[in-house]
Amino acid sequence: MSLEFSEGVYRLDLRGYVCPYPQIMTLQALKKLRDGELLEVIIDNPASCENVPAAVRREGHEVLGVEKIGLGVWRIKVVKRGSK
Amino acid sequence: MVLNSRYALYVYALALGLLSALLLYSTYYLAGRGTYWGITTGESKIGGLLWATAVDPSIRDTLYYKTFKLVNPLNDPTQMIVIAILLGGLIGALALGEFGLKHFPNHWMLLQAVIGGFLLGYGARLALGCNIGNYLSAWASAGLNAITFTAGMIPGIGLGTIVVERVFLFRARPLPIYITPSLWVQRLLLAVAIAVAVVLYMLSEGVMAKLWFVFGVAFGLIGYLSKICWATGLREITNPYYGGGRMVSATALAILTYAILALPMVVTDPDKISFALARGVGQLQIFIGGLIFGAGMGIAGACIFSSEWRTGVVVSTQ
């Protein structure tokens, strides 16, 4: 898993991972961001469409949306809220 | 029916509870005896049949398989529902174009899956039920085994999650192999999957085998569409960091719906009901089974029910 930065957006490709990795890795990645920065998480585990946003919201971050970007692939957009 | 609102999870949870109660009433009216459903008995029989066929036929003489006899799956409701859940998950994924070969593991992830799966199976058989038989159905049956199994499962999943964090988290990796057939291929596979389901239904013998098969497909479909995750729901209790409480409330809603809808039959004709009470084993064994099962869930990242419908979606580590 690597956190990439491109065009002003952080991206985390978590395709291939199943629960609980997407939640754990998303929360860990968010710790590296500053307040207001955007993280896009790419997943292909259907349950993570529900679990990742729930975990992220619980930590006080903002979920902009979950969108399908391909067959069986989703992008979750999260804005970091709170100081680094 | 695909629902996309934030409340979709709860609607599907209601549907799961409703279907479970409907199966109870259906078995009562068609066979004279209402049955709370479970899946690991059928899974153990399928496993036993494979072992007896490929490895050692004498497994049929063990005490366990003298009690839970190895019979033709087409005649057996407990095995038909297992096959059907898998098919239901597959049909759901194909219908939405989300079927694919993915989650290919490196050796650490494979080890994690094997260990988690072994503990899931071992714990479920020790307790004579998994998160369906000993949790969903057992709570709906108001059985003492529900309490003891849950009491073991919760610390078990906490333990399993710690093992994931300390041992597998930075070692387990998926291989970058993602094979997602095009939409028209998925439509074709959908037709094949439905045809297989119809053929199996027609080949199955007895009204109960057919009934459990139909409900199994529905359960698999709901499992896939809802993405309801029993493991996450329990993990949210032990490690709230990993969830927002939605899964635990959704699973509680499914249990409550099942219990309330079953109540009229339970009150009027309890002698004609096979409750999910894990009869024949003591509460300590159920607790230990729950603990092992919970650890398996924590390590595998899924329960047995989810593992089944996800296998239908071809999640390779399941």
Side-chain angles (χ1 to χ4, degrees):
Chain A
M1 174 211 65
S2 61
L3 188 60
E4 296 174 357
F5 183 77
S6 152
E7 297 172 352
V9 176
Y10 286 92
R11 281 190 188 84
L12 190 60
D13 188 345
L14 297 180
R15 285 179 297 163
Y17 286 98
V18 295
C19 296
Y21 290 104
Q23 299 97 293
I24 297 174
M25 291 172 166
T26 300
L27 291 170
Q28 287 186 339
L30 281 167
K31 287 179 182 173
K32 298 177 184 175
L33 271 62
R34 291 193 184 89
D35 185 37
E37 289 185 321
L38 177 65
L39 172 68
E40 291 185 351
V41 183
I42 312 299
I43 52 161
D44 59 1
N45 179 38
S48 295
C49 292
E50 179 63 48
N51 295 335
V52 170
V56 157
R57 285 189 182 110
R58 197 185 183 284
E59 291 299 304
H61 306 298
E62 185 182 346
V63 177
L64 297 182
V66 181
E67 54 178 328
K68 200 167 178 179
I69 58 172
L71 296 178
V73 185
W74 294 266
R75 174 171 52 214
I76 305 172
K77 289 184 177 177
V78 181
V79 176
K80 165 80 181 261
R81 293 297 179 209
S83 56
K84 190 171 180 180
Chain B
M1 185 176 62
V2 181
L3 305 173
N4 291 312
S5 79
R6 282 203 67 189
Y7 302 101
L9 177 65
Y10 299 110
V11 175
Y12 285 123
L14 277 170
L16 184 61
L18 173 66
L19 264 182
S20 300
L22 206 55
L23 178 57
L24 177 71
Y25 282 94
S26 301
T27 51
Y28 177 83
Y29 286 111
L30 289 175
R33 187 156 195 88
T35 309
Y36 284 80
W37 70 290
I39 52 180
T40 47
T41 298
E43 288 177 339
S44 69
K45 287 181 186 179
I46 291 171
L49 272 172
L50 290 171
W51 188 271
T53 306
V55 181
D56 181 8
S58 69
I59 198 171
R60 292 174 187 272
D61 301 325
T62 57
L63 180 61
Y64 181 83
Y65 285 116
K66 280 182 180 174
T67 311
F68 300 101
K69 290 186 172 38
L70 295 178
V71 295
N72 183 346
L74 292 172
N75 297 339
D76 184 10
T78 64
Q79 294 179 78
M80 287 304 279
I81 198 170
V82 170
I83 297 165
I85 288 171
L86 205 145
L87 269 173
L90 175 61
I91 287 169
L94 287 168
L96 296 178
E98 294 170 3
F99 170 86
L101 295 175
K102 48 191 171 183
H103 311 296
F104 287 90
N106 69 353
H107 61 280
W108 279 101
M109 193 174 264
L110 183 62
L111 184 65
Q112 180 185 355
V114 168
I115 292 173
F118 177 81
L119 292 174
L120 281 171
Y122 193 88
R125 280 302 79 195
L126 201 59
L128 287 187
C130 65
N131 58 295
I132 298 299
N134 252 335
Y135 187 63
L136 172 69
S137 289
W139 278 106
S141 301
L144 178 61
N145 56 314
I147 298 172
T148 44
F149 188 73
T150 304
M153 209 169 35
I154 290 174
I157 198 168
L159 192 65
T161 304
I162 290 171
V163 169
V164 168
E165 289 171 352
R166 300 225 176 130
V167 177
F168 294 106
L169 185 56
F170 297 107
R171 297 184 176 96
R173 293 277 179 277
L175 300 176
I177 302 169
Y178 318 104
I179 302 170
T180 307
S182 64
L183 213 47
W184 74 264
V185 171
Q186 296 213 33
R187 293 284 179 261
L188 187 62
L189 290 173
L190 175 63
V192 171
I194 293 173
V196 167
V198 169
V199 167
L200 285 174
Y201 175 83
M202 289 168 65
L203 289 175
S204 64
E205 296 173 21
V207 67
M208 292 294 276
K210 290 184 189 306
L211 184 71
W212 281 59
F213 183 78
V214 169
F215 274 87
V217 171
F219 287 137
L221 202 50
I222 284 188
Y224 183 75
L225 293 176
S226 68
K227 285 119 176 94
I228 197 166
C229 185
W230 303 83
T232 299
L234 289 157
R235 201 185 293 116
E236 285 172 348
I237 298 172
T238 58
N239 305 87
Y241 177 68
Y242 298 136
R246 280 168 55 84
M247 283 299 174
V248 68
S249 51
T251 53
L253 181 60
I255 292 169
L256 199 60
T257 305
Y258 191 3
I260 290 172
L261 292 176
L263 210 49
M265 180 184 293
V266 169
V267 167
T268 55
D269 207 353
D271 293 335
K272 292 272 181 64
I273 299 175
S274 296
F275 292 96
L277 301 178
R279 285 202 171 92
V281 296
Q283 298 303 317
L284 180 61
Q285 183 172 331
I286 293 172
F287 173 80
I288 294 170
L291 191 65
I292 294 171
F293 182 83
M297 265 205 291
I299 293 171
C303 64
I304 285 184
F305 174 67
S306 294
S307 295
E308 270 199 38
W309 63 253
R310 289 182 199 198
T311 301
V313 179
V314 198
V315 176
S316 70
T317 49
Q318 300 298 314

